Amino acid sequence: MNDRYNEIASFIEQEIVPRYDAFDAGHRRDHVHYVMEESQRLAQYYPEVDCAMLLVAAAYHDLGLEVGRKTHHTESARIIREDKRLLRWFTAEEIETIAQAAEDHRASSDHDPRTIYGRLVAEADRQIDGDTIIRRTIQFSFKHYPNLSKEENYARLLEHMAEKYAEGGYLKLWIPESSNAKRLREFRNLLHDSDAMRAKFDEIYDTLIKQNNMTTILKPGIPVALCSDHAGFATKQAVIEYLKENNIEYKDFGTYNEDSCDYPDFAHPCALAVESGECYPGIAVCGSGEGINITLNKHQGIRSALCWQPELARLARQHNDANVLAMPGRFVTNEEALEMVKTFLSTEFEGGRHQKRVDKIPV
C-alpha cells in the first residue's frame, strides 16, 4: 500500500476504531476490524476501487450507533460528511461516495447500495456465522427485552431468523466472490432442522444466563473503564479479550498501541468516567502500576487500588470499596492479571465497620 493509505490507516486506528469500544458486544473493534479487512479482501476482485476510500467507509460504517441503533446507518453517513479531517485525503465528491457506502451497508435498507463501495461494505458486514448470529440475537433480547422468558426468547429468535436469514428474508448478498453465500446456505440448513436449532439455542442461551448470573459488581448497561500506558498495553489487551469472551461491555480510554506515551493522558479520562457513573468499575495498567494509580487517586471520587495478586484485589473490594483496579503490567503475567480482574469483579464491599473508614477518605 502507498503512503497515503498507510497514513489513513494509522488515523483510523488511533481516532476511529477506539470509538467502537463503547458499543454493544456485537459491534466493538473486533467487528469493525473484520469489516475493514474483509472489504479490502473482496476489493481485490474490483481493481477500479480506491482502497483508501473503502477503508474509511468500512471504518465509519457503524459509528452512528453513538446516536442510536435505528438510524445508525444515516448517522454514520452524517458523521463522515461532517468530519473535516477527511478533506486532507479526499475530495468532497469522494467523501460523499464514502458516506453513501456507509449509509447503504444496513441489511434492512430500503434501497440497494448505490456504488461498489456500498456493496463491498454491506457484504463484509454480514459476518454469517450461526453461533455468532444466535448469540447476538439473544444478547439483544437480554438488553432490550429483559422480561422475556426463555421460551419467549426462542420465539423472538425464530421470528427474527425468518425475517432476515430464511429464504425470502430481507438479507441480501452483493459480492459473488464472497463466501457468505455458502455460509448462508449452511445456516439455512440449521434453521430447517428444528431439533438442531433448538439445541444450539439452548446451549448458547444457558451459557449467557450462567455468565449473567455470576456474582459481580458490574452494573447492567454500564461498561468497565479501561486505561493503560504503553507499558501496560499488552496486559490491557489480555483484559479486553477476557471481557469480550465473557460478553462484558467496556470502554477503552487508551493508549491504543505500544508507542511511548504519558499515563496521565489516559488515567484522567478513565477516572472522570468512573466518577460520573458513565463507567463502573475501572481497570488501569502501567509498567509499575504506581504512576497510573497515583494519577487516578487525584480524583476525589476514585478509590484506585494497586494490586499484584488476587488476595489484594479481594481485600481492596471487601475493605476499601475500590472502584478501580490498578496493576503493574511489567511485574505480573497475563494469567495473574486476569485472576485479579476476576476476583475484583466478583467481590462485594463488606460495608459495616469498613464503611465509616471509606467515608473518611475524601478530603
Side-chain angles (χ1 to χ4, degrees):
M1 294 293 180
N2 58 33
D3 290 343
R4 170 175 170 266
Y5 181 94
N6 291 333
E7 185 179 348
I8 293 168
S10 178
F11 161 76
I12 286 171
E13 280 301 317
Q14 294 178 31
E15 302 293 335
I16 305 304
V17 169
R19 291 163 70 172
Y20 283 78
D21 291 338
F23 299 157
D24 64 272
H27 295 88
R28 296 213 180 110
R29 64 171 70 198
D30 57 333
H31 171 68
V32 71
H33 276 145
Y34 176 87
V35 176
M36 289 159 61
E37 292 163 8
E38 180 66 6
S39 60
Q40 292 293 310
R41 187 188 71 79
L42 295 174
Q44 66 181 305
Y45 300 104
Y46 300 87
E48 72 275 19
V49 166
D50 181 328
C51 288
M53 290 173 60
L54 179 63
L55 184 68
V56 174
Y60 281 70
H61 82 283
D62 272 339
L63 281 189
L65 290 170
E66 293 174 337
V67 178
R69 186 182 183 90
K70 187 175 182 180
T71 60
H72 80 277
H73 55 307
T74 56
E75 291 295 337
S76 295
R78 177 189 60 78
I79 291 169
I80 291 169
R81 293 182 180 108
E82 294 179 358
D83 194 339
K84 302 304 181 186
R85 294 172 296 183
L86 296 177
L87 290 168
R88 177 175 178 179
W89 302 291
F90 305 105
T91 66
E93 183 178 359
E94 289 171 332
I95 291 172
E96 179 58 28
T97 298
I98 295 169
Q100 289 179 7
E103 184 172 349
D104 292 347
H105 85 273
R106 191 173 186 179
S108 58
S109 177
D110 59 2
H111 61 270
D112 295 349
R114 287 164 279 188
T115 66
I116 183 59
Y117 296 94
R119 292 195 291 276
L120 286 166
V121 174
E123 187 76 27
D125 185 55
R126 296 300 176 253
Q127 272 188 286
I128 299 174
D129 171 77
D131 285 16
T132 301
I133 292 168
I134 294 169
R135 185 178 67 253
R136 288 179 178 175
T137 304
I138 296 170
Q139 288 172 326
F140 183 86
S141 293
F142 282 174
K143 184 169 184 178
H144 297 278
Y145 307 99
N147 296 322
L148 293 183
S149 67
K150 183 176 182 179
E151 293 308 311
E152 289 170 333
N153 262 284
Y154 187 56
R156 184 188 174 277
L157 173 78
L158 293 180
E159 181 181 1
H160 178 62
M161 296 303 103
E163 263 182 13
K164 184 172 182 178
Y165 295 101
E167 293 83 351
Y170 64 75
L171 180 76
K172 294 181 181 179
L173 302 179
W174 304 104
I175 305 298
E177 294 84 1
S178 167
S179 61
N180 277 336
K182 177 176 179 291
R183 286 182 283 174
L184 182 58
R185 286 194 299 272
E186 292 172 351
F187 185 53
R188 284 174 174 169
N189 289 336
L190 175 63
L191 294 179
H192 292 314
D193 186 336
S194 58
D195 290 341
M197 185 65 182
R198 180 65 201 222
K200 180 60 69 176
F201 167 81
D202 286 342
E203 175 191 346
I204 295 173
Y205 182 93
D206 292 345
T207 298
L208 292 174
I209 284 291
K210 183 178 179 181
Q211 292 169 347
N212 287 352
N213 287 341
M214 289 189 303
T215 300
T216 179
I217 64 170
L218 298 171
K219 299 179 180 180
I222 297 184
V224 175
L226 303 177
C227 68
S228 76
D229 69 354
H230 54 287
F233 176 76
T235 304
K236 186 184 67 177
Q237 291 306 108
V239 173
I240 286 174
E241 288 305 310
Y242 169 78
L243 297 178
K244 285 173 18 180
E245 287 170 6
N246 288 277
N247 302 298
I248 297 172
E249 295 192 19
Y250 64 89
K251 185 170 184 179
D252 186 359
F253 290 90
T255 188
Y256 306 113
N257 54 52
E258 293 184 318
D259 296 344
S260 181
C261 61
D262 301 327
Y263 53 81
D265 293 342
F266 313 104
H268 285 305
C270 180
L272 289 170
V274 174
E275 277 190 312
S276 69
E278 174 191 349
C279 296
Y280 181 86
I283 299 172
V285 196
C286 71
S288 68
E290 294 285 8
I292 210 160
N293 187 56
I294 291 169
T295 306
L296 288 160
N297 280 316
K298 290 294 182 182
H299 294 255
Q300 285 291 298
I302 296 300
R303 293 178 299 280
S304 179
L306 175 56
C307 303
W308 53 93
Q309 56 181 254
E311 180 65 7
L312 293 174
R314 181 182 67 79
L315 291 171
R317 285 291 310 136
Q318 286 181 337
H319 293 181
N320 311 115
D321 196 19
N323 53 15
V324 180
L325 169 65
M327 297 185 290
R330 286 180 173 154
F331 295 89
V332 296
T333 65
N334 286 347
E335 291 75 18
E336 291 168 333
L338 295 184
E339 282 303 311
M340 284 189 278
V341 169
K342 295 174 191 176
T343 301
F344 192 81
L345 296 181
S346 62
T347 303
E348 297 283 358
F349 175 48
E350 287 184 351
R353 71 185 189 279
H354 302 296
Q355 184 64 63
K356 68 176 183 178
R357 297 164 185 167
V358 170
D359 290 342
K360 292 180 178 180
I361 294 175
V363 176

